[in-house]
Amino acid sequence: MQINFKDAEQIKRLVLIVDDEFINRELLGGMLQDEYNILYAVNGKEALEIIRESASTLSIILLDLMMPEMTGYELLEVIKADEALKQIPVIVLTAEQDAEVKSLKLGASDFIKKPYENPEIIRARIARTIGFYEDRSFIKSAERDDLTDLYSRTFFYEYAGMMDRYNTEMKTDAAILNVEHFHMVNEMYGRSFGDKVLIAIGDAIKEYLADTEGLACRSEADTFFIYMAHHDDYDGLLDLVNSKIKELSKGLHLHVRIGVYPRVEHDIEMDQRFSYARHACNTLRGNYMRYVAYYDMTMRERSVFHEHLVNDIHDALEQGQFQVYYQPKYNIEGDEPVICSAEALVRWEHPEYGLIKPETFLHVFEENGLISILDRYVWKETIETLGRWRKDNITIIPVSVNVSRIDLYDEGLPDYFMDLIEDNGLKASDLLLEITESAYTDDNTQFIEAIENLRAEGFRIEMDDFGSGYSSLNVITTMPIDVIKLDMRFIEHIHEDDKALLIVRLIMDMARSLKVPVVAEGVEIAAQYDLLRENGCSIIQGHYFSKAMPAEELEALMMPED
Ligand code: C2E
Ligand code: MG
Ligand code: MG
C-alpha cells in the first residue's frame, strides 16, 4: 500500500508541540513552521485542553515526556483511553532510550530523539506518521488475516518498518515460508482441510516468534512472510511447522520450504526484501533434499541480471536483437535421412552480453508474462520466413514454433495465427505448434479447449519434452496431440542405460498403437541414432545432424545439390 504524502504537501496541517522548555519548542517549531500550522502547550494539562478543543483538526501531537503539572506519559494515557482522541497520532520527544519502549506501549506512534539533529529526518518522520494515519483505506483495511490471525500484509509491512526504526542497530532477516503444490492439498482433501493446514502453519509461526520481536503475515494463500532478528536456525521453524502439520494428519507429506534474505539492507524497500527471499525460496522448487535457502551474492547478481533483461526486452524487440534460428528435423524412415521440418528457436544477440540462449532468459519472461510478446515476435518472424520461401519458390517444409502456456489463455490465439498465415500466403499445415508437456498438467479443461480450437483451424500440435513433467504416460491417450516429442533426457542415456531404452520403447509402442508419430530430440551420437531407428522412431532432431542455424543456412541446406 502506498501512503499518500501529496495532500500533506498541499494543505497546512495542524501540529501541537507540547514541551515545557522554551528552547525546545522554538527549535522544533522553527523546523516545522513552513509546512505546518503550529500550536504550543507548556505542559500536559494545557495540552489536553487544546487537544479537546481541536481534536477534529489536529493532525499530530509532538509530546515531551518530562513536564510539570501533567507529564507526557499521563497525557498519553488519557489520550489513548479516550475514544474521541485516540486516533490522533502522538510522537514522543525524548532523550532516554528506556522512555521509548514505555511510550510505544502506551500508544505513541513514533519517537524523535533529543537533542534534535537532522531536521530533514524529523520532518519526514512527522509527515510519514500523519500520512499513515490519514490514509483512509489503510485505516479501513484489516489488520489481521481472518484465517490465521497473523497480520495482513499491509500492516505487516508497516510494523516491520517500525521495527527497523525502533531498533536501528538490529540485524534482521526477511523470510518467506511456502508450501509447494499447496493447491494439491485443496484438490485432494478439500478446502476446509486446506484451511486447517494453513492455520496449523500460522500457529507454528506464532509459537516460533513468541518470545521474539519478530512479526509474521500471510501474504498469499500459502505464503507466509516473517520479519525477525537475524539468526541461523530456520530449521527450527521448519521442524515446528512440519510437526504441526503432522499433528493434523500423520500421512500428509508436504514440501514446506523457506527462503531467507538474511541481514537485510535497510535502504532496500520492504517489498523488494521479500522478493529476494522469494527468489531464494524459488531455488528450492522441486528440490526434495533441501528445505531452506538463503539469498546470497550469486542470487543477487542473477536477479540484477534478470532485471536488466526485463528492462532491455522492449528495446531488443524494436532493434531486432532477437533472432530466430532453425534446427532441422530429419525423417529417418527411408534409406537416406531427409529434412522434413524444422524448429524455430529464439536467440538474443544482446549488445552487452553477446549471444544468449533461451534457457537464460525465457523463465524470466515466463514469470512476468513478457514471454507472450516474445513468442509473437518469433512466430511472426518464422511465418514471414516461410512466406518468403513461398515467394522465392523454395520448397516449404513445415516449421514448428514453441507456444508457452500463457499464450493459451488468449482466446484470440487461433485468429492471430490464421491472420499471419493468410497474410503470408500459407496454410495452417505449414506451421506446427510445440507445447511443452508441463503445460498440460494444471487446468485441463481450459487447456484442452484452447488446443482443440487451434486444431480446428488445421494446426498440428506437438507435445514437447514428453516425459519431463509429472503427467503419466497415458496422457497421450486422452490429450489432443498430433506428434510426441520425446524429452531429451530419455535419449541422453539410451545407449548406456537399459532402463532408459526400455522407457523409450514403451513410449514408442504406445505411440504406434495410437498412430502418433514420435520425434526424438537431442540426438547427438550414432549409437543413439541407431537405437532410435531400430525401435521405429520416425523423426530425429539433434546435433547428430545439425544444430540450430540462421534461416539462410537452412535454406542452403534445403537446396537440392546439383
Ligand atoms: P525445446 O523446444 O525442447 O527445444 C530443443 C532444445 O534442445 C533447443 O535448445 C535445441 O537447441 C536443443 N538441442 C537440440 N538438439 C540438441 C542436441 O543434440 N543436444 C543438446 N544438448 N541440445 C540440443 P534451445 O534453443 O536452447 O531452447 C531451449 C528451450 O527454450 C526450448 O526447448 C524451448 O522450450 C524454449 N524455446 C526456444 N525458443 C522459444 C520460443 O521462441 N518461445 C518459447 N516459448 N520457448 C522457446
Ligand atoms: Mg520445442
Ligand atoms: Mg523439447
Side-chain angles (χ1 to χ4, degrees):
M1 196 216 43
Q2 292 222 312
I3 292 167
N4 193 356
F5 293 107
K6 251 219 219 98
D7 295 342
E9 284 161 21
Q10 286 156 1
I11 308 163
K12 271 198 166 185
R13 300 290 198 272
L14 188 61
V15 173
L16 172 64
I17 297 177
V18 191
D19 201 313
D20 57 332
E21 282 181 54
F22 171 75
I23 184 71
N24 283 337
R25 288 198 302 274
E26 279 298 295
L27 271 174
L28 197 54
M31 288 178 202
L32 302 177
Q33 65 190 11
D34 287 347
E35 285 168 42
Y36 299 96
N37 292 322
I38 304 173
L39 298 171
Y40 295 94
V42 296
N43 61 49
K45 221 167 161 189
E46 192 180 303
L48 191 57
E49 277 169 29
I50 297 176
I51 295 167
R52 291 224 157 96
E53 260 168 41
S54 12
S56 59
T57 50
L58 201 54
S59 286
I60 197 161
I61 301 163
L62 307 177
L63 181 64
D64 177 35
L65 290 175
M66 296 311 160
M67 292 179 298
E69 300 258 358
M70 188 184 206
T71 68
Y73 290 124
E74 286 167 320
L75 179 62
L76 195 53
E77 257 179 305
V78 175
I79 295 173
K80 291 300 161 186
D82 188 324
E83 279 303 318
L85 307 180
K86 73 176 187 195
Q87 81 286 355
I88 306 169
V90 178
I91 292 185
V92 159
L93 314 167
T94 177
E96 295 156 54
Q97 197 82 31
D98 292 352
E100 289 160 11
V101 178
K102 188 173 170 194
S103 40
L104 290 172
K105 279 190 179 151
L106 285 172
S109 304
D110 201 351
F111 62 88
I112 290 175
K113 279 206 174 76
K114 283 188 193 174
Y116 302 132
E117 282 169 354
N118 189 335
E120 279 301 309
I121 295 178
I122 291 174
R123 280 194 288 265
R125 276 185 138 160
I126 292 171
R128 195 173 172 288
T129 306
I130 294 176
F132 178 69
Y133 273 78
E134 279 181 355
D135 194 300
R136 288 272 165 260
S137 65
F138 185 85
I139 289 165
K140 274 189 210 141
S141 72
E143 188 189 39
R144 296 203 178 249
D145 164 41
D146 279 346
L147 191 67
T148 59
D149 202 37
L150 293 171
Y151 290 119
S152 61
R153 186 158 62 176
T154 315
F155 276 79
F156 170 79
Y157 276 0
E158 194 52 42
Y159 293 153
M162 284 186 187
M163 201 165 133
D164 284 353
R165 273 178 279 132
Y166 301 147
N167 305 285
T168 44
E169 297 302 307
M170 186 162 88
K171 301 252 180 292
T172 43
D173 296 347
I176 281 190
L177 185 145
N178 168 269
V179 184
E180 187 158 315
H181 297 309
F182 184 76
H183 64 100
M184 297 287 281
V185 178
N186 281 337
E187 276 158 33
M188 287 164 70
Y189 305 99
R191 248 200 121 73
S192 72
F193 182 80
D195 284 352
K196 281 190 189 149
V197 173
L198 295 174
I199 293 169
I201 296 174
D203 287 347
I205 293 173
K206 274 180 237 161
E207 197 175 315
Y208 187 71
L209 295 177
D211 296 319
T212 73
E213 288 185 70
L215 302 164
C217 79
R218 185 163 75 108
S219 164
E220 301 117 63
D222 61 340
T223 303
F224 297 81
F225 287 8
I226 296 162
Y227 195 65
M228 66 185 301
H230 169 65
H231 65 105
D232 293 317
D233 179 30
Y234 282 88
D235 287 333
L237 172 61
L238 191 71
D239 292 345
L240 201 58
V241 169
N242 282 327
S243 78
K244 288 266 188 233
I245 293 173
K246 278 266 155 339
E247 277 173 29
L248 212 58
S249 160
K250 274 212 175 59
L252 187 64
H253 294 283
L254 292 182
H255 184 205
V256 178
R257 23 174 216 188
I258 300 174
V260 185
Y261 168 35
R263 289 185 290 258
V264 303
E265 284 152 81
H266 284 223
D267 54 357
I268 292 178
E269 294 276 332
M270 204 51 86
D271 213 29
Q272 187 61 40
R273 297 179 199 174
F274 283 92
S275 115
Y276 289 157
R278 191 187 296 275
H279 206 89
C281 196
N282 285 345
T283 64
L284 299 167
R285 192 174 285 158
N287 183 339
Y288 296 93
M289 306 299 283
R290 273 178 64 221
Y291 301 93
V292 182
Y294 293 87
Y295 189 74
D296 56 21
M297 270 326 280
T298 15
M299 285 188 210
R300 174 69 169 267
E301 278 159 18
R302 212 177 306 139
S303 26
V304 169
F305 175 59
H306 288 169
E307 277 165 32
H308 281 226
L309 296 184
V310 170
N311 289 338
D312 294 347
I313 185 172
H314 293 287
D315 281 352
L317 286 164
E318 263 168 36
Q319 295 164 10
Q321 292 170 15
F322 289 105
Q323 285 153 20
V324 183
Y325 275 45
Y326 299 86
Q327 186 178 33
K329 302 178 196 176
Y330 285 79
N331 187 309
I332 56 161
E333 285 169 330
D335 294 338
E336 288 288 320
V338 279
I339 296 185
C340 62
S341 168
E343 176 176 10
L345 295 160
V346 67
R347 301 286 180 266
W348 188 349
E349 186 69 63
H350 194 285
E352 196 181 330
Y353 305 120
L355 189 74
I356 351 181
K357 297 255 263 169
E359 61 191 5
T360 315
F361 56 83
L362 280 184
H363 64 102
V364 183
F365 299 148
E366 269 160 14
E367 271 169 31
N368 53 28
L370 287 170
I371 185 72
S372 54
I373 302 176
L374 180 58
D375 278 347
R376 284 180 180 229
Y377 179 86
V378 173
W379 302 339
K380 190 161 179 284
E381 283 284 321
T382 305
I383 293 170
E384 283 172 0
T385 299
L386 283 166
R388 191 162 49 75
W389 291 349
R390 161 126 303 156
K391 266 203 232 113
D392 297 352
N393 283 327
I394 299 175
T395 328
I396 292 195
I397 49 168
V399 175
S400 58
V401 291
N402 289 282
V403 176
S404 307
R405 176 168 50 191
I406 98 159
D407 297 324
L408 295 167
Y409 289 110
D410 176 6
E411 285 177 1
L413 190 65
D415 286 344
Y416 181 83
F417 273 127
M418 275 324 285
D419 288 349
L420 269 181
I421 288 281
E422 281 163 10
D423 287 352
N424 287 280
L426 301 164
K427 300 187 299 292
S429 58
D430 293 328
L431 202 67
L432 295 160
L433 307 178
E434 294 195 14
I435 299 173
T436 182
E437 189 221 66
S438 59
Y440 280 68
T441 44
D442 269 298
D443 175 5
N444 273 340
T445 38
Q446 195 272 341
F447 185 82
I448 292 174
E449 213 179 284
I451 291 184
E452 288 296 15
N453 290 341
L454 289 164
R455 287 177 97 209
E457 294 285 359
F459 294 106
R460 282 169 297 155
I461 309 293
E462 298 197 357
M463 189 194 235
D464 204 353
D465 312 316
F466 182 78
S468 64
Y470 296 102
S471 51
S472 53
L473 290 185
N474 67 12
V475 295
I476 54 174
T477 63
T478 53
M479 285 289 176
I481 36 178
D482 304 289
V483 179
I484 290 170
K485 281 190 97 171
L486 267 182
D487 189 52
M488 243 183 266
R489 274 170 290 178
F490 291 125
I491 314 296
E492 202 181 343
H493 300 294
I494 42 168
H495 57 294
E496 55 194 12
D497 176 358
D498 289 348
K499 259 196 236 144
L501 182 59
L502 213 66
I503 294 174
V504 170
R505 277 196 181 128
L506 195 76
I507 298 172
M508 296 286 196
D509 285 347
M510 211 150 150
R512 202 172 303 123
S513 59
L514 292 163
K515 302 200 170 51
V516 177
V518 175
V519 179
E521 65 180 330
V523 180
E524 291 184 343
I525 55 173
Q528 295 165 336
Y529 169 80
D530 291 340
L531 280 168
L532 287 161
R533 199 177 135 95
E534 275 165 33
N535 284 284
C537 178
S538 40
I539 299 167
I540 277 184
Q541 175 184 349
H543 296 169
Y544 176 68
F545 284 122
S546 168
K547 293 192 170 177
M549 58 185 83
E552 305 75 55
E553 285 179 34
L554 179 69
E555 284 158 26
L557 207 63
M558 292 190 306
M559 290 292 181
E561 285 170 41
D562 349 83

